[in-house]
Amino acid sequence: MEEGHAGVAPLRRYVVLAPGETHTGGPAASDGYAYRALYAEVPLLTEGTYGIPHFRDPLLDDPELAAALRLAHTELSVCPDPLEAESRIPWLLRALARRHSTARPVCDRIPGADRIAETVRARLTDELLSPPSLSALAADLDLSRYQLLRAFRTSMGMPPYAWLAQHRVNRARCLLEKGHRPAEAAALVGFADQAHLTRWFRRVLGVTPAAYRNSVQDTRR
């Protein structure tokens, strides 16, 4: 899948190519162009559908999905997180297959969603510094990755990586209130580095870890 930044494919569109399909990437304009590309294994497109997806039109116009794919690609390139990558990219690729291919979607109803989510939350909490992969979590519950993601989202309203990030942010906030520096707090709760903590801390609480720590320290003076 390729997304152009100029020429025939503006930011709202993307090009889908079948596995093994011969193609070129020449620019339509004389000043050239840039694009992001994802090379997905077939199983990433088939967990949420019956059969291998076939896309009738290689040029798709789906601004919402294009923006979500671009954001995931950008954020995971800057700060890769295995659990997040294993959740976001396959989920979006399944959305691509279900929205725009001829493949029939599988049933989205997963029995015992609350029980599944509770089990996953317990595992992630217990293994905070080195969480299991989505594949491992799914295998232990005798589910596919799609089924696990669907069950967790149904119960919690978010995927496992987002729940884990919020849990880590809450743990980091307590550490910052005790005087730990952001880099120390990031390492103690399992974030890759301070930048990874800052990204999620700002998303969850609306401020940076440093600003939050300073505000807490100021109220105690």
Side-chain angles (χ1 to χ4, degrees), residues 47 67 69 123 136 140 146 166 190 202:
E47 284 191 3
L69 283 163
R123 281 285 303 279
D140 289 345
Y146 175 77
Q166 292 196 21
R202 184 187 287 119

Side-chain angles (χ1 to χ4, degrees), residues 20-91:
E21 182 176 339
T22 302
H23 66 285
T24 61
S30 60
D31 56 351
Y33 75 122
Y35 65 88
R36 294 180 181 273
L38 293 173
Y39 298 93
E41 297 289 339
V42 173
L44 293 178
L45 293 166
T46 58
E47 284 191 3
T49 61
Y50 292 107
I52 298 176
H54 170 70
F55 299 92
R56 295 189 183 93
D57 188 347
L59 183 59
L60 304 177
D61 190 345
D62 187 336
E64 179 186 14
L65 188 55
L69 283 163
R70 184 169 65 253
L71 180 62
H73 192 285
T74 300
E75 291 185 343
L76 291 170
S77 297
V78 173
C79 188
D81 180 291
L83 184 62
E84 183 175 357
E86 199 180 4
S87 300
R88 286 179 74 176
I89 297 299
W91 186 267

Side-chain angles (χ1 to χ4, degrees), residues 110 116 120 134 136-139 141 143-153 160:
I110 309 297
I116 293 169
V120 172
L134 191 67
L137 288 167
L141 291 168
L143 300 169
S144 71
R145 289 182 304 179
Y146 175 77
Q147 289 173 322
L148 187 148
L149 280 171
R150 189 71 214 178
F152 199 94
R153 282 175 172 268

Side-chain angles (χ1 to χ4, degrees), residues 140-220:
D140 289 345
L141 291 168
D142 197 25
L143 300 169
S144 71
R145 289 182 304 179
Y146 175 77
Q147 289 173 322
L148 187 148
L149 280 171
R150 189 71 214 178
F152 199 94
R153 282 175 172 268
T154 298
S155 179
M156 301 300 300
M158 65 184 74
Y161 78 85
W163 181 88
L164 177 60
Q166 292 196 21
H167 181 68
R168 284 171 166 168
V169 164
N170 289 329
R171 295 280 293 271
R173 181 177 62 180
C174 294
L175 293 173
L176 294 171
E177 291 172 356
K178 293 178 181 177
H180 288 271
R181 296 185 179 278
E184 296 171 337
L188 289 171
V189 301
F191 282 113
D193 51 30
Q194 184 174 337
H196 194 193
L197 167 64
T198 299
R199 170 186 154 202
W200 277 103
F201 205 94
R202 184 187 287 119
R203 181 177 298 181
V204 174
L205 298 178
V207 297
T208 66
Y212 181 83
R213 180 178 182 271
N214 291 338
S215 68
V216 172
Q217 299 299 317
D218 289 343
T219 60
R220 293 177 178 175

